[in-house]
Amino acid sequence: MARLLIVEDDAAIVRNLSDYLRGEGFDVASATTASGALELAGADFDLVLLDVGLPDGSGFALCSEIKGRFGTPVIFLTASGDEYSVVTGLELGADDYVAKPFRPRELVSRIRSVLRRTGRASPVIEVGRLRVDPERAQVTKDGKEIFLSALEYRLLLVFLNNRGIVLSRSRLLEEIWDAAGDFVNDNTLTVYIKRLRDKIEDDPSEPTVIKTVRGMGYKL
Ligand code: CA
């Protein structure tokens, strides 16, 4: 699973983006300052998303530092129409930029493309006999492809990103809300979980991948 570091001082962006990226199968950490980012950047990240204006310094200086010390790929988050930042960022070795406000989907496709280009992508997630390739949105079991609907797939990714954690029904509803586009209620969630189990479990009546935790929710 690719590990991303978000460096951004806007708490709302960090929160929404982290949730979204986790839902897309990334492992996500964040820092709100340049110094906080440098403390973390030594850890093995595959890509850094970097805001230009940080409270304790500019993203440009941080980009040079990260590039020089760790060589980690960087995508700048710039203000829209800020060509100076775009040019400066790219001159400093940034791998790409995305202008705010950006569409999360657009950002994800940029992230995947930079990861591919820099040979950082090792995106396949395995759980038991299931293999999930988020780059291709492909799920296989024992090498055979399993076809999931967009929502079933999203639901599976939510479980994969919260391995071993009990997820309540309300948490799951929150997580798949965005992907659903339309109204997902408690009953439809039951239906989606059943459909997902029918496709991935050996015996859907005795699930071993997505387990029911009585009175609390579900656990992968
Ligand atoms: Ca900022």
Side-chain angles (χ1 to χ4, degrees):
M1 192 182 294
R3 301 192 65 209
L4 311 181
L5 174 61
I6 303 173
V7 188
E8 163 66 75
D9 59 324
D10 182 329
I13 293 182
V14 171
R15 196 173 49 243
N16 294 333
L17 197 51
S18 301
D19 287 349
Y20 189 86
L21 293 172
R22 286 191 186 109
E24 289 291 320
F26 296 103
D27 188 5
V28 184
S30 61
T32 53
T33 59
S35 54
L38 269 181
E39 275 173 33
L40 285 173
D44 193 20
F45 287 101
D46 295 303
L47 187 143
V48 180
L49 293 170
L50 191 49
D51 180 29
V52 174
L54 294 166
D56 58 341
S58 94
F60 298 132
L62 185 57
C63 177
S64 304
E65 185 98 14
I66 288 173
K67 281 282 173 189
R69 281 168 64 181
F70 312 110
T72 317
V74 170
I75 295 178
F76 265 110
L77 306 175
T78 67
S80 83
D82 184 359
E83 276 173 39
Y84 168 78
S85 289
V86 170
V87 172
T88 310
L90 294 176
E91 276 175 354
L92 287 170
D95 298 85
D96 204 349
Y97 71 92
V98 174
K100 291 191 251 189
F102 48 80
R103 293 208 310 271
R105 220 166 275 280
E106 161 79 10
L107 179 60
V108 166
S109 94
R110 300 292 190 92
I111 290 172
R112 294 225 162 99
S113 128
V114 168
L115 288 174
R116 242 189 333 263
R117 214 162 62 215
T118 54
R120 295 262 177 171
S122 56
V124 174
I125 309 164
E126 293 191 42
V127 52
R129 289 147 57 205
L130 283 181
R131 287 181 97 241
V132 180
D133 181 346
E135 195 174 307
R136 299 199 178 94
Q138 189 186 53
V139 181
T140 56
K141 184 179 175 183
D142 299 331
K144 264 184 69 182
E145 184 158 13
I146 295 174
F147 297 95
L148 300 180
S149 73
L151 247 160
E152 291 158 4
Y153 177 68
R154 175 85 179 185
L155 196 54
L156 178 59
L157 282 183
V158 173
F159 279 112
L160 288 170
N161 290 319
N162 293 280
R163 245 185 238 215
I165 297 169
V166 179
L167 296 170
S168 66
R169 296 178 59 87
S170 57
R171 169 82 194 279
L172 287 169
L173 282 169
E174 258 171 49
E175 293 276 355
I176 61 172
W177 185 273
D178 286 347
D182 50 293
F183 188 65
V184 180
N185 65 27
D186 208 49
N187 291 333
T188 46
L189 179 64
T190 305
V191 172
Y192 284 119
I193 288 183
K194 178 176 170 3
R195 283 188 193 154
L196 182 57
R197 279 175 166 164
D198 285 345
K199 291 181 182 178
I200 66 171
E201 299 279 356
D202 288 342
D203 177 0
S205 64
E206 294 280 341
T208 57
V209 181
I210 297 171
K211 292 185 181 167
T212 301
V213 183
R214 199 168 286 275
M216 294 177 72
Y218 304 91
K219 187 169 88 167
L220 185 98

